[in-house]
Amino acid sequence: MRYSERELLSLSRQPAEKAAEILMRAPKKGSVLKKRLVKLVVNFLFYFRTDEAEPIGALLLEHCKINKEEENVFSISFIEEPDRKYSFECDTEEQCQEWIEALRRASYEFMRRSLIFYRNEIQKMTGKDPLEQYGISEEARFQLGTRKL
Amino acid sequence: MKLNERSVAHYATCDSPADHAGFLHKRVERHHHHHHHHHTTSYHRRWFILKGNLLFYFEDRESRDPLGLVVLEGCTVELCEAAEEFAFAIRFDDAGAKAYVLVADCQTAMEGWVKVLSRASFDYMRLVVRELEKQLEDVRKSLAACHKSPRKSSSGRKRHFSNPAMALVQEQPPILENGYSTWGSGYIPAGASCSDHDGGCSKPPPLPPRRRLAAGSGCGAPATGLSLTGQESPVSPETACFSKLHNWYGQEIAEIRREWLESQRSGEL
């Protein structure tokens, strides 16, 4: 599948939602923990060698599951391969929880559901559709009940 | 740069609904080995699918795997001065990133794509969500200000805290995955802690008014006979945390589904 490294590189330079040096382990068997600079930008998690300006890689955070593992550790796995986990070991349990929360809210799909929720609530309470002012009320992607979860 | 390609391709092709889809002609990049005097631009007809801030393209509609992907962040979508009618371009703020020139089949198609692509970025979505969040807050405040009589003590938080079984149902929702909710697992682990880890919410939300608690709900908590169907207000004031509310509705749906399955089974006997 073709993708533009330039697009990803450029995105990796945007202000991050969250960034920290965390020990990371790839899903491959026998992988070791390596210290990485991990940076959350929109729905991508970039990871860098700590002394480099360009990321080694990126994880698209859609259809993924963020799990708490043992102490200070969380993992990211993807729906179609639930046993293949990227592991992250934080310095503290608190840091671990913060990352879990941030990553669970990081997907575009999560935001979309938030939008639909708020739209519905406002509509119920005011009788008005708040999306009309944006001119996007008819777009399929914001409709209630038409989306499979 | 590595990318979790398999997962990305899965996201592209799985049955979660697309935000937009259709055929477009994609301009081919000029290769340097062409004869320089001939200035022929060529196009490939591709099947495009927009999901969130990602634009995927396939060789054709039936292809199993995407040919490629465009990350729609930091870009603008504009009409194009190409020789072709109905052409538009995706250009990036980063001048070094290659632009995409796409051609639609007709005016309506072109306008549809330009409109939806212009609003596809995560940032745009986030902006709208924040705006709506604020609006909801404002609406709730103004409604609260309008209410003269205090809420009945039997509703909302008091009951919530006085019944630990109820608290259990509300505090420990099924795990919410990014774009993949586990509705099937209505299971609520026994002895689950009531502490709130998600959303940074300091207060647990009270029971939303329309939620029905049938006996035999997945968590095994006894039906408390809490009758809420009479309540008119659509939403409780403390429901500021979307995750929690989202899980509420999810539980209600899981309930309804369970009941439906039950009725199907008994119908077959």
Side-chain angles (χ1 to χ4, degrees):
Chain A
M1 188 180 64
R2 286 178 229 146
Y3 55 92
S4 162
E5 295 229 356
R6 192 66 198 236
E7 282 165 28
L8 288 174
L9 181 62
S10 168
L11 187 60
S12 76
R13 292 179 171 151
Q14 295 307 308
E17 187 67 31
K18 218 167 163 53
E21 285 190 0
I22 296 182
L23 293 168
M24 181 176 170
R25 192 205 309 268
K28 215 176 356 189
K29 237 182 189 172
S31 279
V32 293
L33 280 174
K34 293 185 181 154
K35 192 168 212 190
R36 296 288 180 242
L37 172 62
V38 170
K39 191 174 176 187
L40 175 63
V41 182
V42 298
N43 51 349
F44 282 87
L45 189 68
F46 294 98
Y47 48 99
F48 303 67
R49 283 192 192 93
T50 51
D51 55 351
E52 288 178 8
E54 286 194 21
I56 312 169
L59 296 177
L60 171 72
L61 299 168
E62 298 292 338
H63 288 193
C64 64
K65 195 168 189 289
I66 317 294
N67 275 326
K68 175 86 174 76
E69 306 290 342
E70 62 266 25
E71 197 179 354
N72 295 353
V73 179
F74 69 87
S75 69
I76 302 177
S77 61
F78 296 88
I79 287 314
E80 78 287 353
E81 272 178 310
D83 297 324
R84 205 167 168 268
K85 296 184 175 190
Y86 294 81
S87 276
F88 299 83
E89 186 175 315
C90 303
D91 288 331
T92 64
E93 188 54 39
E94 190 187 357
Q95 187 190 34
C96 184
Q97 284 304 327
E98 285 175 8
W99 274 95
I100 292 173
E101 281 175 37
L103 292 169
R104 283 184 178 156
R105 304 167 122 47
S107 70
Y108 193 100
E109 295 301 322
F110 179 89
M111 265 208 316
R112 188 207 307 278
R113 291 203 303 279
S114 305
L115 188 149
I116 291 173
F117 168 77
Y118 290 129
R119 179 194 191 184
N120 187 44
E121 290 304 308
I122 293 171
Q123 198 151 19
K124 280 192 293 188
M125 293 172 90
T126 66
K128 281 191 285 196
D129 177 2
L131 290 189
E132 274 185 25
Q133 63 178 123
Y134 294 95
I136 54 177
S137 50
E138 294 316 307
E139 283 179 20
R141 60 193 173 133
F142 301 129
Q143 302 314 316
L144 272 175
T146 57
R147 301 194 62 85
K148 262 192 281 185
L149 296 166
Chain B
M1 196 192 303
K2 284 186 236 166
L3 181 65
N4 53 331
E5 284 187 53
R6 239 186 343 235
S7 306
V8 175
H10 183 264
Y11 174 60
T13 55
C14 76
D15 57 6
S16 69
D19 294 314
H20 208 70
F23 284 105
L24 290 169
H25 284 85
K26 180 172 172 292
R27 182 186 282 176
V28 181
E29 284 307 286
R30 282 197 240 125
H31 300 289
H32 295 297
H33 61 263
H34 276 181
H35 299 290
H36 298 294
H37 298 296
H38 290 282
H39 226 63
T40 47
T41 23
S42 59
Y43 291 83
H44 287 148
R45 189 168 186 257
R46 300 286 182 230
W47 175 252
F48 281 80
I49 283 179
L50 174 67
K51 280 194 183 181
N53 57 348
L54 300 174
L55 181 64
F56 296 97
Y57 54 97
F58 298 73
E59 185 154 3
D60 57 58
R61 195 166 178 171
E62 290 77 37
S63 304
R64 287 192 54 213
D65 291 304
L67 264 183
L69 121 89
V70 183
V71 180
L72 298 166
E73 295 291 332
C75 63
T76 48
V77 184
E78 47 197 52
L79 301 182
C80 203
E81 289 159 16
E84 292 72 22
E85 264 193 302
F86 320 128
F88 60 96
I90 301 173
R91 296 191 198 284
F92 293 87
D93 299 337
D94 172 11
K98 166 192 87 175
Y100 299 85
V101 176
L102 302 169
V103 182
D105 292 334
C106 64
Q107 182 73 13
T108 327
M110 180 193 70
E111 284 173 3
W113 275 108
V114 170
K115 189 177 178 201
V116 90
L117 290 172
S118 308
R119 294 192 251 250
S121 74
F122 193 95
D123 281 336
Y124 177 83
M125 179 64 101
R126 184 158 47 191
L127 211 90
V128 179
V129 170
R130 283 190 184 148
E131 181 57 38
L132 291 197
E133 208 168 6
K134 197 171 145 300
Q135 273 189 41
L136 182 59
E137 184 68 35
D138 291 343
V139 169
R140 279 201 270 104
K141 280 191 187 136
S142 59
L143 277 186
C146 289
H147 287 162
K148 299 261 167 70
S149 52
R151 277 187 295 147
K152 284 191 246 186
S153 60
S154 63
S155 70
R157 298 173 65 202
K158 286 203 178 142
R159 173 85 57 118
H160 168 75
F161 284 115
S162 67
N163 184 339
M166 285 295 297
L168 199 70
V169 173
Q170 296 169 36
E171 291 303 317
Q172 200 61 35
I175 305 278
L176 187 69
E177 333 244 355
N178 283 324
Y180 186 81
S181 297
T182 52
W183 297 140
S185 61
Y187 167 70
I188 310 242
S193 85
C194 289
S195 65
D196 177 359
H197 282 306
D198 62 357
C201 298
S202 49
K203 292 184 277 197
L207 197 63
R210 288 203 301 270
R211 181 166 160 68
R212 295 173 297 128
L213 277 178
S217 61
C219 65
T224 58
L226 194 75
S227 148
L228 299 164
T229 48
Q231 253 175 280
E232 287 311 311
S233 75
V235 70
S236 302
E238 257 83 14
T239 54
C241 180
F242 171 71
S243 288
K244 289 208 151 352
L245 250 291
H246 179 82
N247 293 328
W248 284 116
Y249 286 106
Q251 287 188 17
E252 183 169 2
I253 289 165
E255 275 302 320
I256 292 168
R257 206 173 84 178
R258 240 193 308 277
E259 284 163 26
W260 182 81
L261 286 170
E262 290 294 331
S263 71
Q264 289 298 93
R265 260 179 251 133
S266 55
E268 281 167 330
L269 288 172

